[in-house]
């Protein structure tokens, strides 16, 4: 414990800057994914039909079948060479994580909307509740609640995904801790600190997901 | 006003559920459809409400005739409304919001005194701030019945409306249905063997082996 504390004191500036970069990446991917993924998910569930629907589903499944690390490396090296451009690694990482998270969240939201009992919308039809009122007050709140546990768990995944940014030279926390370890030769201490950082951020999200699931069970919406 | 089904046929996986079923109900009348569980009564009700297509046949809502074999995107309301057997109250809304959104299309409107009187009579006025999962099955059933009675629908289609009600609450329900009928609303009641509605019914049908026969 004293060892960990001593590492924090000596490298607090480097650790803080690495942690901030990791958090920035995560927040960008969380926000972008939440906004675009929710819109895309609702659109896919409500309006995507026929060939358009199949094409998007196929694209989404294909995109999710390739590891994010491969996208990251591909977008950082070959793509930029092909296009003859040079983009800062942080921006490349932020874009790749946001796109990946958008696809993940759109899938969570789409299945939550589609899994809503058809009867809920049929009751609205049979009682004359207009479609817009139904979507605003019933469908969206129910679907987003049902999607919440899956959303929280996937956002923990996004936070962990930021580790890969070190592969394209982004100075996020993992890269910083590797550098400190190279100086200190204290893998136990350094990587315990890294574990502690991710634990402190991830554990509350995991607990929230579990609590949300229990709440949904009460409403009869558990997934 | 007439609610009618003409020669409605429906099969599931080549298994006939409804064979040439015809029925005619007027406003101010109560029609009872009885039959064994799984006999297709609820399917028939859903076809009448245009919520599910049949294989063939016609559904008549007043002046409008609908080809029952075509999926219909038109709301049957305000011609009719349905009380589903599985109730389907919206779980994210309170009881007040469940009622208010149907009556005024806004979730937080105050209910008029006449609506509150009905809720008092059905013994559910004290539940307005509760969510559906905090109410008993019988209370939820009375809320869905209130939702239908408070609506402006000319016909009420009720699928097993007293399956979770005790005798006292069933009597109250029958009184309310009688009142609705007296105010020129049409009722179509579906039940598997409940004799409680016999005195209310103007016409009784038996749905057995897919055939609807007046009894």
């Amino acid at each position: 414990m004293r060892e960990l504390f001593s590492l924090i004191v000596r490298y607090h500036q480097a650790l803080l800057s690495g942690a901030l970069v990791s958090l920035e990446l995560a927040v960008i991917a969380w926000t972008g994914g939440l906004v675009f993924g929710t819109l895309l998910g609702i659109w896919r569930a409500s309006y995507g039909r026929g060939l358009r629907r199949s094409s998007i589903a196929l694209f989404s499944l294909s995109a999710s079948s390739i590891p994010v690390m491969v996208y990251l490396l591909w977008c950082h090296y070959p793509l930029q060479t092909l296009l003859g451009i040079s983009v800062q690694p942080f921006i490349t990482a932020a874009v790749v994580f946001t796109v990946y998270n958008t696809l993940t969240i759109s899938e969570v939201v789409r299945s939550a909307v589609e899994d809503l009992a058809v009867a809920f919308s049929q009751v609205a039809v049979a009682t004359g509740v207009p479609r817009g009122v139904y979507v605003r007050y019933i469908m969206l709140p129910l679907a987003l609640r049902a999607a919440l546990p899956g959303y929280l768990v996937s956002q923990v995944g996004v936070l962990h995904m930021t580790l890969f940014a070190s592969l394209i030279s982004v100075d996020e926390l993992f890269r910083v801790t590797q550098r400190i370890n190279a100086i200190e030769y204290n893998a136990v201490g350094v990587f315990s600190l890294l574990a502690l950082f991710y634990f402190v951020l991830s554990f509350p999200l995991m607990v929230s997901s579990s609590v949300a699931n229990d709440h949904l069970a009460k409403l009869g919406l558990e997934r | 006003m007439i609610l009618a089904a003409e020669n409605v046929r429906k099969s599931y996986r080549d298994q006939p559920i409804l064979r040439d079923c015809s029925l005619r109900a007027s406003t101010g009348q109560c029609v009872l459809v009885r039959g064994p569980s799984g006999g297709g009564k609820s399917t028939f009700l859903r076809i009448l409400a245009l919520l599910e297509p049949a294989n063939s046949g016609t559904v008549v809502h007043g002046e409008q005739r609908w080809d029952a074999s075509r999926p219909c995107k038109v709301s049957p309301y305000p011609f009719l409304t349905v009380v589903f057997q599985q109730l389907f109250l919206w779980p994210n809304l309170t009881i007040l919001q469940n009622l208010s959104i149907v009556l005024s299309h806004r979730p937080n409107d105050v209910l008029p005194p006449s609506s509150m009187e009905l809720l008092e009579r059905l013994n559910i006025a004290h539940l307005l701030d509760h969510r559906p999962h905090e109410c008993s099955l019988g209370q939820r059933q009375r809320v869905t019945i209130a939702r239908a009675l408070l609506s402006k629908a000319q016909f009420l289609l009720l699928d097993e409306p007293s399956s979770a009600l005790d005798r006292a609450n069933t009597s109250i329900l029958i009184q309310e249905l009688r009142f609705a009928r007296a105010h020129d609303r049409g009722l179509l009641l579906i039940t598997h063997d409940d004799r409680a509605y016999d005195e209310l019914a103007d016409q009784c049908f038996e749905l057995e082996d897919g055939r609807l026969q007046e009894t």
Side-chain angles (χ1 to χ4, degrees):
Chain A
M1 200 62 192
R2 182 187 278 180
E3 204 179 332
L4 284 186
F5 193 69
S6 147
L7 277 171
I8 292 172
V9 169
R10 271 183 290 145
Y11 294 101
H12 69 276
Q13 276 192 327
L15 288 168
L16 189 65
S17 111
L20 282 176
V21 172
S22 293
L23 277 177
E24 270 178 70
L25 279 174
V27 168
I28 290 169
W30 284 341
T31 313
L34 180 64
V35 174
F36 299 124
T38 304
L39 291 174
L40 183 63
I42 291 167
W43 183 82
R44 283 176 64 191
S46 309
Y47 303 106
R49 293 275 181 272
L51 188 63
R52 195 167 48 179
R53 181 190 181 94
S54 310
S55 323
I56 295 170
L58 188 66
F59 171 73
S60 181
L61 285 172
S62 311
S64 308
S65 304
I66 299 168
V68 70
M69 196 171 80
V70 176
Y71 282 116
L72 196 61
L73 292 172
W74 203 85
C75 288
H76 185 60
Y77 299 112
L79 183 64
Q80 292 188 25
T81 309
L82 281 172
L83 297 175
I85 55 168
S86 173
V87 180
Q88 282 179 26
F90 180 87
I91 294 173
T92 307
V95 169
V96 167
F97 295 153
T98 303
V99 170
Y100 205 83
N101 198 26
T102 297
L103 290 175
T104 307
I105 291 180
S106 83
E107 188 56 31
V108 171
V109 172
R110 182 201 59 78
S111 74
V113 172
E114 289 185 349
D115 284 358
L116 269 190
V118 175
F120 286 144
S121 73
Q122 290 199 333
V123 170
V125 170
T127 52
V129 174
R131 177 79 186 158
V133 174
Y134 169 71
V135 169
R136 180 175 170 193
Y137 293 112
I138 299 159
M139 189 195 91
L140 273 184
L142 282 177
L144 294 180
R145 279 185 203 201
L148 189 61
Y151 171 77
L152 290 170
V153 169
S154 66
Q155 297 322 286
V156 171
V158 169
L159 177 67
H160 295 177
M161 204 190 280
T162 60
L163 287 167
F164 295 136
S166 65
L167 294 170
I168 58 167
S169 311
V170 176
D171 276 331
E172 47 70 67
L173 191 61
F174 181 54
R175 192 170 153 91
V176 170
T177 50
Q178 277 182 312
R179 223 181 279 141
I180 295 172
N181 188 42
I183 300 166
E184 293 285 327
Y185 294 109
N186 179 2
V188 173
V190 170
F191 291 117
S192 296
L193 266 183
L194 187 67
L196 189 65
F197 171 81
Y198 282 103
F199 176 81
V200 166
L201 287 177
S202 304
F203 189 70
L205 289 174
M206 296 303 284
V207 171
S208 307
S209 166
S210 175
V211 170
N213 221 9
D214 288 348
H215 179 65
L216 291 176
K218 277 189 200 162
L219 296 179
L221 292 170
E222 73 274 27
R223 289 162 64 79
Chain B
M1 258 328 160
I2 298 293
L3 166 68
E6 295 171 359
N7 304 315
V8 168
R9 288 181 188 201
K10 176 81 178 179
S11 307
Y12 283 121
R13 294 180 186 166
D14 298 332
Q15 175 74 36
I17 302 293
L18 303 171
R19 305 169 199 248
D20 284 324
C21 292
S22 297
L23 172 151
R24 196 176 170 86
S26 315
T27 44
Q29 205 186 19
C30 176
V31 173
L32 188 60
V33 176
R34 229 188 256 123
S37 297
K41 302 184 301 296
S42 298
T43 303
F44 185 57
L45 178 143
R46 294 167 57 76
I47 291 170
L48 272 172
L50 307 174
L51 297 173
E52 183 175 333
N55 296 120
S56 64
T58 305
V59 170
V60 180
H61 286 184
E63 308 283 302
Q64 297 265 21
R65 292 177 69 82
W66 305 98
D67 178 349
S69 64
R70 291 192 175 173
C72 187
K73 290 185 176 171
V74 177
S75 168
Y77 190 86
F79 183 77
L80 63 80
T81 191
V82 180
V83 173
F84 294 92
Q85 189 180 0
Q86 297 88 347
L87 309 179
F88 297 122
L89 288 168
W90 296 300
N92 60 317
L93 303 179
T94 62
I95 299 302
L96 171 64
Q97 290 169 328
N98 262 282
L99 296 170
S100 168
I101 209 158
V102 169
L103 300 183
S104 64
H105 303 160
R106 284 187 293 270
N108 294 312
D109 272 8
V110 177
L111 297 178
S114 58
S115 303
M116 287 305 297
E117 283 167 21
L118 174 71
L119 301 184
E120 295 280 0
R121 292 200 296 274
L122 291 172
N123 296 317
I124 49 173
H126 61 291
L127 300 172
L128 289 180
D129 293 330
H130 289 55
R131 286 185 194 276
H133 72 269
E134 295 165 337
C135 302
S136 71
L137 189 58
Q139 288 170 331
R140 274 182 276 162
Q141 191 158 41
R142 280 174 277 153
V143 172
T144 56
I145 291 163
R147 185 163 69 178
L149 287 168
L150 291 173
S151 74
K152 296 186 181 85
Q154 288 172 306
F155 280 88
L156 311 183
L157 278 52
L158 303 105
D159 193 354
E160 306 278 5
S162 53
S163 57
L165 301 186
D166 56 24
R167 195 172 289 178
N169 279 308
T170 303
S171 299
I172 294 169
L173 168 65
I174 290 172
Q175 274 178 24
E176 294 301 332
L177 293 178
R178 190 172 285 131
F179 183 76
R181 188 185 60 175
H183 282 76
D184 212 26
R185 299 176 93 175
L187 306 173
L188 184 98
L189 279 157
I190 282 191
T191 174
H192 61 286
D193 62 352
D194 202 335
R195 297 276 154 185
Y197 304 104
D198 282 6
E199 57 169 309
L200 187 68
D202 298 297
Q203 269 183 295
C204 285
F205 289 86
E206 192 84 26
L207 181 62
E208 205 159 1
D209 294 328
R211 297 189 195 284
L212 194 62
Q213 286 179 328
E214 192 165 359
T215 56

